[in-house]
Amino acid sequence: MKANEVKLISPGLEDEMEVSGYRPCLWKMILVGAGVICSGGLLLLLLYWLPEWGVKSTCTHTTLKDAHTVLLRTTDEFRQWFRAKVHVMLAPGKKPFDSLASQPESQVPNGDGELGVSAVHEDCYGQFSHRQLVQVHYFVHHSARYYWNDVMQNFELYKGLEDVNVSCASLHSEHSSGLSKTLQDYRRLFFGENEIAVRVPSLLKLLVKEVLNPFYIFQLFSIILWSFEDYYYYASAIVLMSIISIATSLYTIKKQYVMLHDMVAAHSVVRVSVCRGNKDIEQAMSTELVPGDVIAIPANGMIMPCDAVLVCGTCIVNESMLTGESVPVTKTSLPSAGEEGARSYNIDEHKKHTLYCGTHVIQTRFYTGELVKAVVVRTGFSTEKGQLVRSILYPKPTDFKLYHDAYLFLLCLVGVAGIGFIYTIVLSIMNKVPAKTIIIESLDIVTITVPPALPAAMTAGIVYAQRRLKRVGIFCISPQRINMCGQLNVVCFDKTGTLTEDGLDLWAIHRSEDGSFCSPESEAAKVSLVNTTFVACMATCHSLTKIEGELSGDPLDLKMFSATGWILEEPTEEETALHNPIMPTVVRPPKHIAPEAHQSNPLPQSMELSELSACEMGIVRQFPFSSALQRMSVVVRRLGAKHMDAFLKGAPEVVASLCRQHTIPQTFTETLEAYTRQGFRVIALAHRQLESKLSWHKVQSLSRDVIETNMEFLGLIIMQNKIKPETAGVLCELQRANIRTLMVTGDNMLTAISVARDCGMVRPREKVIIADAVPPKDFQPASITWHYTENQAQAVKDNEIVEIELDEGTWDGEVSQEQSYHFAVSGKAFAVIIEYFPQLVKKLVLRATVFARMAPDQKTQLVEVLQSMDYTVGMCGDGANDCGALKRAHSGISLSELEASVASPFTSSTSNISCVPNLIREGRAALITSFCVFKFMALYSIIQFISVILLYSVLSNLGDFQFLFIDLIIILTIAFTMSLNPAWKELVWRRPPSSLISGQLLCSVLTQILTCLVFQVLAFLLVRQQSWYETWTPESDACNVSRSIFSLRVNVTDPQNHKNIRNYENTSLFYISTFQYLAVAIVFSKGKPFRQPSYKNWLFMLTCIGLYTFLLLIMLHPFPAVDNFLQIVCVPHDWRVTLVIIMIGNAAASFLLEILILDIILWRLVFRGNHRASRPAESSSAHTPQVANDRWASSVLSWLFCRRHKAPRALYMQLALELQEGSEWPPQPSAVTYASDLKSSISDLNVTANQNSTQAKPEASLKLV
């Protein structure tokens, strides 16, 4: 392997990183040491902030095998650098799953290795002293260990038992007896203690880490500089502010660490029963567990200390810690035979059989005399809970354009500071100022230009927004994402439990007999149906259990079971010992039949209790509902029967595919479509009588594929899923705000379309086109058939062009959500399109509104596709099957009663989607607040920079107490109170800009800078033209002495008084600049349409009024004490009035430029109007003189601002404009799109995804069928 080779570790995973090896280089270390000494430690700080430089400046490249240090770089969009030290440990094998029996025995002392043998697990080495010990290289990064693999010639991460690709069958046969103590100790060398160790750092460590932040280093530099200038008061104030800021930060960080530690530690160490061999069981601490251990789950449950897969028995588990879903779920034993038994175990695919760390096992079901056993598959930070804790401990940076632009803007300010730095040096040299003064004053310019309070001020708006969200029941674990919510332009909604009610009402049952449907029946509890197979299926095919005497489980199962009127019993072990060696859940019909039922059904009146008791059934085996399979099944035995029965329920299409064809009614498709079009949720039932030779124990080892075949179709259950009252109003509000809404559900396609129409996602006159894609089969290529759900007359005409309006909400031309057609895609079709029609994916997603039958991972995939199109994506779900999508979206909102669901950044305590507009409104308000504060702080720096530069020209400066008054009394109070504006009461169609480097914001800042510059220079020049002007001395009294005695001398500074604070220029500029700070604060503190008006922010208004009053008072009616404190001099009353007039002119100019010019004229004609050229021609009635003038002005100004015919930046907007230009999209009704090779002729194509593409991707050819 080459010395400078870069390899990938954890390829394809979220933790994928590039890794390269380095070893120390003596001469480089000597040079760096010299540089650190010469720079006073600054070089060391720089290398600390930049790990890449730190490694490359002290080490040389080497192979990974010989590396002493590794340099890591993430492959995501953030491209972060990390460094890690390579350790060495001694072990009897190189891999955790090696067999110790094959290792040679030899006495090898535990000496220090070449890189220093790790001290971990030294107590274990003694047990292996008789074996040949080898050196194993590893490094630790973010609580994960990466070990060297000689075969791969790379480092790899050992997660657990999955690493050896163990099959489900072998988990039963080879791993169900447990590990020996020796093997357990050996594996613990690699996997470490089974503990999610959240170490709470000491205050000293936290303090050092916090103080080494570049911001505080810059403040330290500023304080040292100000001390040299004798600005002790101001420096002391900054020190006090920094101490308060650091103390607050340390308290918050320490509190978060302690909370996380307590949350994890509460369940991380428990006593467990570990199986040693088939019979031996010993008590041990959970920290000793390793992958491969077998633990016994007690009957009364436990908190799981690891991830383990059930190999014997059944568990009822509360997984709310992981998913936010408080409904208990049933976990069954892993299949051990058949096709499923041969498959490799995967923790995601087999989650219905896996007990996750941190989840609460409420109770267990087990064989008489046998234990409920589980094989440990993952421990420590490799568990699901451990990975969640890692994501909290080591969060990814927030990827938002605002923060990126903020750094660019700060660099611009540094550039301005550089100009001032050079100007100060040149001016000082020309005036023969002492070298010490030149250095201090030139560096002082840098501290003035870069505002030290900027980070704290920008954070204030987010903190206030987080408090307001908490008041309306929205809890946030990632505050930086609040700003992202302000940019959301598409929100995906789950259906069941989110758009519709959680509970389902049984509307009817539609039984099938002899291959045809009976009449629909509204009651399933009728006596005439008690002994039917259909009701037996309803009563048994569920995952309900009793917890503390109450039925608990999935809401759909609860509704279905309660509709039968049957009773569920979970007898004790003693009661079932005589019944059979297994302990089943028993269901039976009620003993008392309602009188009206007897009257209406005379036939069953003769039914005796013995016949009713014959209906009693025991649930022998359960195959839980799988989102991927879209079905669940059970094996039951009727009391007294000699055979068992299998019952199946699930999605009608899936159930029908598993049934014998002659049992399915011919009108099945039409009947199903009729119900789903009306928005009903339809569930199909099926039954199969199993062979009598099947024993209880044999059933436990059968795979579900063997059971779920050759079924007999029983009929349909029609459930009514009511739309929540708030849903339609919220979706309408989002659409009015030009926020696109999508439905992403696991339900039936036609049901989803019906609900989409009912709740307003799809409007009455809009068409829905179902994209039905099928994979290649029998030499036929993959194809998409386009089905229109409306009749042919309403289909898109051949020559119809679908108008795509451009959003007037942002200057760069967002695409409006108005559209005359919507695509609907099923999960199966989505998978086919992703694989075989990649060039159509984005075109389809651009206009798709309904995604049905979507698996959880497909929801995440959809979010990623939307993000790749430059959408800012929100996801709202109930937290159960949406965890991946909630985490992946820019803003995931979980509708959960838990206050701190770790499944998503935001959790709402209200169970409806009304939280979504609230979150977006607060996000927009926080985003605009961030812009306002940033602009204000930038202007504050520039205003002060202008004042100081002008004063430097007369060898003067602002005084210590003037700086103190400006920075503490004016800037900080304004910056923190201007952030208090609450969000606007409604969502508007316009979205705030996402970038600081946008035309509107840059124009705003630049016009205000020029305004402030003009009026400061005006005051500076005018004061020097006054007849009373002279070089100020302590004896000067311009207020009382006649002007005629003043000589017109130039203001020459006394060399002994190099600061020259007290003079007329200083006083005039101090007055002007203080009013400028207040003027720009009010101008920038905008209200509608994203925030409440500033006059409703009473604290901000009181602050502004108070400061204005105080400044006018000391200006028009001087107080000697205040003048002495602020180091200002007395000037004539006429000049004071002149200054007031200048200030009024300044304020008026600022308001006119910001409100009239920028917000009205330029916004209307340039930043919003530049896209109008792309619109279809308007009607002749619109050609009024006003419109003509607007167009002419827009063209001129657009040309002036270089925005004429500027293409939109977002990919989805570019795609929308391309679709506007073509007339062949959407495809015609009943059209079929085939996947074909690019080499085939594309001249006759009716639809192509990207006609300019030169990539060798499968192209789409369209022909009508």
Side-chain angles (χ1 to χ4, degrees), residues 231 956-959 962 1057 1059-1063 1066 1127:
Y231 288 163
S956 180
N957 200 352
L958 290 173
Q962 289 174 342
N1057 183 19
K1059 285 194 176 181
N1060 188 24
I1061 302 300
R1062 294 176 183 268
N1063 54 60
N1066 172 287
Q1127 296 174 282

Side-chain angles (χ1 to χ4, degrees), residues 176-193:
S176 59
S177 58
L179 302 176
S180 66
K181 186 71 175 158
T182 304
L183 198 54
Q184 184 193 53
D185 290 338
Y186 169 64
R187 289 189 182 177
R188 200 181 307 121
L189 290 174
F190 291 88
F191 292 104
E193 299 288 330

Side-chain angles (χ1 to χ4, degrees), residues 708-995:
E708 297 169 349
T709 186
N710 289 324
M711 308 292 285
E712 177 187 344
F713 186 78
L714 293 179
L716 304 172
I717 300 175
I718 295 91
M719 312 288 285
Q720 190 174 22
N721 194 196
K722 296 177 182 176
I723 295 175
K724 292 181 179 179
E726 304 83 3
T727 297
V730 170
L731 293 179
C732 182
E733 184 180 2
L734 292 175
Q735 287 169 349
R736 282 200 308 267
N738 199 25
I739 295 171
R740 187 178 165 200
T741 55
L742 307 181
M743 182 191 298
V744 189
T745 177
D747 209 342
N748 176 276
M749 170 67 79
L750 294 177
T751 301
I753 293 172
S754 174
V755 172
R757 288 194 181 279
D758 292 343
C759 67
M761 270 190 187
V762 178
R763 295 174 185 174
R765 295 184 180 179
E766 294 174 339
K767 307 169 192 67
V768 176
I769 307 169
I770 298 176
D772 185 13
V774 292
K777 187 179 181 183
D778 298 333
F779 304 105
Q780 290 292 323
S783 62
I784 306 173
T785 306
W786 309 93
H787 299 290
Y788 279 59
T789 59
E790 304 301 327
N791 58 49
Q792 181 68 26
Q794 293 177 319
V796 178
K797 303 296 185 296
D798 290 344
N799 59 354
E800 179 181 351
I801 298 176
V802 180
E803 178 178 329
I804 299 172
E805 295 186 3
L806 295 180
D807 172 22
E808 299 183 356
T810 51
W811 65 271
D812 50 2
E814 296 280 344
V815 178
S816 174
Q817 311 310 324
E818 295 291 334
Q819 57 190 57
S820 64
Y821 66 94
H822 301 258
F823 287 116
V825 187
S826 67
K828 192 178 294 184
F830 185 71
V832 172
I833 293 167
I834 288 283
E835 184 173 357
Y836 297 102
F837 299 87
Q839 75 283 9
L840 284 183
V841 172
K842 292 179 179 177
K843 290 180 72 173
L844 197 64
V845 169
L846 183 72
R847 287 290 178 259
T849 300
V850 177
F851 293 87
R853 297 294 189 210
M854 295 285 279
D857 60 325
Q858 288 181 316
K859 294 182 180 182
T860 307
Q861 200 172 11
L862 174 63
V863 169
E864 291 171 348
V865 170
L866 288 165
Q867 289 174 333
S868 71
M869 296 171 67
D870 297 333
Y871 277 111
T872 307
V873 186
M875 175 73 197
C876 183
D878 57 11
N881 293 320
D882 311 309
C883 289
L886 288 168
K887 287 180 183 178
R888 190 68 185 89
H890 292 109
S891 172
I893 312 153
S894 173
L895 303 184
S896 169
E897 294 180 359
L898 302 175
E899 283 192 10
S901 171
V902 292
S904 62
F906 300 95
T907 305
S908 173
S909 58
T910 56
S911 58
N912 58 68
I913 63 171
S914 60
C915 61
V916 176
N918 289 334
L919 183 59
I920 296 175
R921 286 190 301 107
E922 289 296 348
R924 289 181 172 186
L927 185 56
I928 287 297
T929 297
S930 296
F931 285 138
C932 292
V933 171
F934 197 94
K935 286 161 63 179
F936 171 69
M937 296 300 286
L939 259 293
Y940 143 65
S941 297
I942 296 298
I943 290 170
Q944 198 168 82
F945 172 78
I946 293 168
S947 300
V948 171
I949 286 293
L950 289 173
L951 291 175
Y952 275 6
S953 68
V954 292
L955 304 184
S956 180
N957 200 352
L958 290 173
D960 191 8
F961 291 105
Q962 289 174 342
F963 276 122
L964 198 66
F965 177 78
I966 291 169
D967 289 6
L968 294 186
I969 306 301
I970 297 180
I971 302 305
L972 285 185
T973 54
I974 290 293
F976 284 106
T977 56
M978 76 187 300
S979 303
L980 286 169
N981 287 39
W984 185 244
K985 55 191 174 185
E986 63 185 28
L987 280 177
V988 295
W989 53 266
R990 193 169 122 195
R991 277 191 298 276
S994 62
S995 172

Side-chain angles (χ1 to χ4, degrees), residues 575-627:
E575 290 174 328
T576 53
L578 298 175
H579 186 266
N580 224 293
I582 195 173
M583 181 179 177
T585 298
V586 175
V587 294
R588 59 175 175 79
K591 293 179 181 179
H592 304 290
I593 308 299
E596 53 271 3
H598 285 281
Q599 294 165 10
S600 60
N601 298 280
L603 178 64
Q605 288 182 21
S606 60
M607 287 181 70
E608 298 179 0
L609 288 177
S610 61
E611 294 180 55
L612 287 174
S613 64
C615 296
E616 185 172 313
M617 298 182 188
I619 302 173
V620 179
R621 180 84 191 273
Q622 185 185 100
F623 297 99
F625 176 78
S626 165
S627 298

Side-chain angles (χ1 to χ4, degrees), residues 95-402:
K95 292 185 177 181
F97 299 105
D98 285 348
S99 173
L100 288 180
S102 61
Q103 299 296 328
E105 297 188 1
S106 174
Q107 289 281 348
V108 175
N110 290 336
D112 288 341
E114 183 185 351
L115 307 184
V117 177
S118 172
V120 293
H121 312 302
E122 286 182 358
D123 57 328
C124 299
Y125 288 144
Q127 301 182 35
F128 308 118
S129 59
H130 62 287
R131 297 183 182 275
Q132 175 71 48
L133 298 181
V134 295
Q135 291 187 349
V136 181
H137 293 230
Y138 72 96
F139 68 88
V140 181
H141 174 67
H142 286 177
S143 301
R145 286 187 178 194
Y146 295 83
Y147 288 90
W148 177 253
N149 186 318
D150 281 327
V151 177
M152 296 169 52
Q153 286 292 296
N154 196 2
F155 287 94
E156 65 174 333
L157 175 67
Y158 296 131
K159 286 190 173 181
L161 213 53
E162 292 169 277
D163 296 333
V164 290
N165 287 327
V166 59
S167 69
C168 297
S170 66
L171 271 170
H172 283 270
S173 59
E174 300 173 17
H175 296 272
S176 59
S177 58
L179 302 176
S180 66
K181 186 71 175 158
T182 304
L183 198 54
Q184 184 193 53
D185 290 338
Y186 169 64
R187 289 189 182 177
R188 200 181 307 121
L189 290 174
F190 291 88
F191 292 104
E193 299 288 330
N194 174 34
E195 185 180 11
I196 303 171
V198 179
R199 312 291 181 198
V200 180
S202 65
L203 278 175
L204 180 62
K205 188 174 180 180
L206 286 174
L207 178 65
V208 171
K209 190 174 180 181
E210 186 73 13
V211 168
L212 291 182
N213 184 297
F215 167 66
Y216 289 117
I217 297 298
F218 178 72
Q219 280 199 335
L220 178 64
F221 162 75
S222 302
I223 289 165
I224 294 170
L225 184 66
W226 294 328
S227 299
F228 276 111
E229 294 186 273
D230 298 333
Y231 288 163
Y232 297 118
Y233 294 104
Y234 184 58
S236 302
I238 293 296
V239 168
L240 182 63
M241 283 171 53
S242 299
I243 290 173
I244 294 171
S245 175
I246 291 171
T248 305
S249 180
L250 288 182
Y251 172 77
T252 305
I253 295 171
K254 182 88 172 178
K255 185 180 176 182
Q256 289 173 346
Y257 268 110
V258 170
M259 285 177 63
L260 187 61
H261 174 269
D262 293 345
M263 181 188 80
V264 173
H267 315 305
S268 62
V269 182
V270 293
R271 293 198 71 83
V272 292
S273 300
V274 182
C275 301
R276 303 279 184 217
N278 290 323
K279 298 293 182 182
D280 296 336
I281 294 177
E282 65 179 40
Q283 295 295 311
M285 299 305 295
S286 60
T287 52
E288 299 174 14
L289 294 176
V290 296
D293 270 329
V294 176
I295 58 174
I297 312 295
N300 58 348
M302 64 185 294
I303 302 291
M304 287 300 297
C306 57
D307 287 351
V309 59
L310 270 175
V311 291
C312 185
T314 304
C315 293
I316 311 299
V317 186
N318 185 339
E319 293 187 332
S320 58
M321 193 286 297
L322 284 178
T323 65
E325 180 60 55
S326 57
V327 175
V329 294
T330 301
K331 302 284 186 173
T332 58
S333 60
L334 191 71
S336 59
E339 188 180 331
E340 283 206 29
R343 293 171 61 185
S344 294
Y345 170 76
N346 181 281
I347 200 165
D348 295 319
E349 290 181 17
H350 296 95
K351 61 183 178 182
K352 291 294 182 182
H353 314 289
T354 305
L355 306 173
Y356 293 105
C357 178
T359 58
H360 183 200
V361 179
I362 302 169
Q363 59 188 39
T364 62
R365 302 275 181 275
F366 51 91
Y367 296 100
T368 303
E370 293 192 29
L371 298 171
V372 176
K373 296 194 292 187
V375 179
V376 177
V377 289
R378 290 184 182 181
T379 58
F381 278 102
S382 295
T383 63
E384 288 291 310
K385 182 180 177 182
Q387 290 180 44
L388 281 173
V389 173
R390 280 184 68 205
S391 68
I392 296 170
L393 285 173
Y394 314 106
K396 285 191 173 184
T398 306
D399 181 25
F400 193 42
K401 196 164 176 47
L402 170 67

